[in-house]
Amino acid sequence: MYVCRACTFNPLPLPLPSLSLRSSDNFFDILLASFFPSSLSMEALSLGSFRKPSLLHHSLPPALPPAKFRMLVTASNFLECKGLSNVERLNARQNLMMHSHSQIGQSNFMLNPRLNFKCLVKSTPGHPLESEPSGSPWKSVQLALDAFYRFSRPHTVIGTVLSIISVSLLAVENVSDFSPAFFSGVLEAIVAAFFMNIYIVGLNQLCDIDIDKVNKPYLPLASGEYSVPTGVMIISSFAILSFWVGAIVGSWPLFWALFISFILGTAYSINVPFFRWKRFAVVAAMCIFAVRAVIVQIAFYLHVQMHVYSRPPVLTKPVIFATAFMSFFSVVIALFKDIPDIVGDKIYGIQSFTVRLGQERVFWICILLLEIAYAVAILVGAASSSIWSRWTTVVGHILLGFLLWSSAKSIDLNNKASITAFYMFIWKLFYAEYLLIPLIR
């Protein structure tokens, strides 16, 4: 009997004890070569084709070995498990169709480990799959929050919040500057920038649904959890909220930061004539550079300097350093983000640097740029007149540079999961830098 039971987070392979295959047997190939007639199209692998095991009988050759038939029935029943979310169904389907993360060997059916699976299937042939009901109101709230969490691209949100706090601290000259006006001004900037961040990443997902079905099938629009009208409603609401907060605050630096980010974020993603700048590697990198390196550093610093403290717009040494250092980091993020997405970008004609130069070359260019940035930061820190600033910045950047190099040497560029994990590691280095920037004096 097939039994589906809820479980806690388990990224391990999903066991199917009833299957017995050699480790060299490939599930995708067996499905096509052994189970389906030659006239059957690839659409036979869609979820709609796996309705009931009985339907599979009529599509199989009469001399199908019982063991392989049981394997196909088990796989089809797994895809019909009511305990699976839309994300999990889509990912399982794409694992079968794309042959990228799925294989059966020694009774293990591997699924994408990025997902938080709630099903463990233990099977013996002969009975339909049953699942425990899990539709409580709290469960629905959890699923909705999880979908929005993935939609918001949290690593970008964290980077935005940390950068605003960090550069705002550069305007602080003495302890008395930590006033209620300072904290309210920083909070206003964070809220407005958060809303704009959701608009930008959401618009990018709306314009890249087909690409994300290949590169990032766990995103809500790509998986079908969000419909296109839902996505449009979300990003429109957040764009309006962002400008509304900016208008209420009345800070010109903040308003221009939001407006320029809106223009560049829209031009980067939207698929209309003369736009969708992400298709062009240099222009795409310049968009990210302008927002992450220039606007975030200078505009939000001036927001505190001019609007909160009513001081003249003077760019200090720490602000100039932050802008220069984050110029390197922004270029690296712009380059590296396309390395794990090379498959979908090739299919849909996105001429990223990774597509044009190859994964390995772009990877080591990114590492070299960051190491240069850390070397410059060490020199700047060593020239500081403040002893505590000198030691913390020099030691901190030496440590970060060493961690980057040691981690880079262990990356498997043929493994998408390894590349994606390293990309998230670069974002962590990005966060760490914003902890060091306020110490530059």
Side-chain angles (χ1 to χ4, degrees):
M1 182 175 69
Y2 298 92
V3 179
C4 174
R5 55 187 177 86
C7 67
T8 57
F9 174 74
N10 189 346
L12 298 176
L14 189 68
L16 294 176
S18 65
L19 309 184
S20 178
L21 289 175
R22 300 185 309 272
S23 60
S24 61
D25 288 337
N26 184 277
F27 190 44
F28 182 82
D29 294 336
I30 292 173
L31 284 175
L32 289 181
S34 301
F35 293 153
F36 298 108
S38 59
S39 60
L40 196 59
S41 69
M42 286 290 290
E43 292 301 316
L45 289 178
S46 66
L47 289 180
S49 302
F50 289 129
R51 291 300 176 195
K52 294 180 181 179
S54 60
L55 296 178
L56 295 172
H57 275 287
H58 303 292
S59 300
L60 297 174
L64 182 70
K68 290 187 176 181
F69 173 73
R70 289 199 304 269
M71 181 183 70
L72 181 59
V73 171
T74 301
S76 66
N77 279 333
F78 171 76
L79 290 173
E80 288 301 301
C81 171
K82 297 179 181 179
L84 294 176
S85 69
N86 290 333
V87 177
E88 295 161 349
R89 288 175 188 276
L90 179 64
N91 191 73
R93 169 190 173 184
Q94 290 190 341
N95 283 338
L96 293 176
M97 294 187 66
M98 293 181 59
H99 182 204
S100 60
H101 294 291
S102 299
Q103 65 179 8
I104 291 186
Q106 304 297 334
S107 77
N108 283 334
F109 180 22
M110 298 294 294
L111 295 174
N112 192 326
R114 291 177 63 87
L115 298 179
N116 180 2
F117 283 99
K118 307 166 193 66
C119 288
L120 285 178
V121 179
K122 294 188 176 180
S123 56
T124 56
H127 295 280
L129 188 67
E130 298 175 357
S131 60
E132 294 180 3
S134 58
S136 65
W138 174 239
K139 187 68 173 179
S140 299
V141 172
Q142 284 182 308
L143 292 175
L145 291 175
D146 176 67
F148 182 77
Y149 177 82
R150 284 179 278 116
F151 181 79
S152 67
R153 309 297 282 147
H155 61 279
T156 65
V157 173
I158 296 171
T160 298
V161 172
L162 283 178
S163 62
I164 292 174
I165 295 174
S166 180
V167 298
S168 296
L169 290 172
L170 295 180
V172 175
E173 297 179 355
N174 49 63
V175 177
S176 62
D177 285 342
F178 289 107
S179 61
F182 169 79
F183 291 108
S184 63
V186 172
L187 181 61
E188 291 164 350
I190 289 174
V191 171
F194 168 76
F195 290 155
M196 185 56 64
N197 197 101
I198 299 299
Y199 164 77
I200 292 173
V201 298
L203 178 65
N204 188 57
Q205 292 172 63
L206 270 172
C207 298
D208 284 359
I209 293 177
D210 290 335
I211 300 177
D212 286 341
K213 286 179 180 178
V214 178
N215 291 336
K216 305 180 183 76
Y218 51 88
L219 295 178
L221 284 164
S223 69
E225 288 176 280
Y226 283 175
S227 64
V228 171
T230 299
V232 171
M233 180 192 69
I234 292 174
I235 67 169
S236 300
S237 301
F238 277 92
I240 293 171
L241 286 171
S242 180
F243 284 116
W244 177 70
V245 172
I248 290 178
V249 173
S251 168
W252 280 107
L254 176 60
F255 174 81
W256 282 111
L258 299 175
F259 181 74
I260 297 174
S261 298
F262 175 84
I263 295 297
L264 293 179
T266 302
Y268 178 86
S269 298
I270 194 167
N271 195 8
V272 298
F274 307 108
F275 290 101
R276 194 161 175 79
W277 292 348
K278 69 180 297 177
R279 293 175 298 171
F280 313 107
V282 175
V283 181
M286 292 303 297
C287 286
I288 297 175
F289 166 82
V291 174
R292 288 286 175 188
V294 180
I295 294 175
V296 169
Q297 319 308 319
I298 297 178
F300 289 105
Y301 165 79
L302 293 178
H303 165 68
V304 177
Q305 179 80 351
M306 298 173 63
H307 178 73
V308 176
Y309 293 142
S310 300
R311 294 170 182 164
V314 178
L315 296 181
T316 61
K317 172 188 169 182
V319 176
I320 296 173
F321 166 79
T323 304
F325 189 95
M326 286 305 166
S327 297
F328 281 87
F329 237 118
S330 299
V331 171
V332 168
I333 288 175
L335 294 175
F336 205 101
K337 73 179 185 62
D338 295 322
I339 296 179
D341 295 342
I342 187 172
V343 175
D345 288 350
K346 280 184 177 180
I347 293 173
Y348 290 95
I350 303 298
Q351 292 300 309
S352 65
F353 280 109
T354 302
V355 172
R356 295 165 63 182
L357 302 178
Q359 288 179 303
E360 184 174 1
R361 184 177 297 179
V362 173
F363 176 85
W364 288 109
I365 288 174
C366 291
I367 301 303
L368 178 62
L369 288 175
L370 282 184
E371 293 294 356
I372 292 173
Y374 284 130
V376 172
I378 291 169
L379 294 177
V380 171
S384 175
S385 58
S386 171
I387 295 179
W388 62 267
S389 175
R390 182 187 313 156
W391 279 102
T392 53
T393 54
V394 168
V395 173
H397 286 108
I398 289 175
L399 178 60
L400 294 179
F402 173 77
L403 289 175
L404 171 66
W405 183 257
S406 60
S407 299
K409 292 190 297 182
S410 63
I411 295 302
D412 179 7
L413 292 176
N414 295 318
N415 187 321
K416 181 177 179 179
S418 178
I419 299 172
T420 303
F422 191 81
Y423 177 57
M424 291 297 104
F425 173 72
I426 287 180
W427 274 96
K428 292 174 183 176
L429 295 177
F430 182 79
Y431 305 153
E433 187 58 34
Y434 274 118
L435 299 179
L436 291 175
I437 282 177
L439 304 178
I440 299 289
R441 298 295 173 180

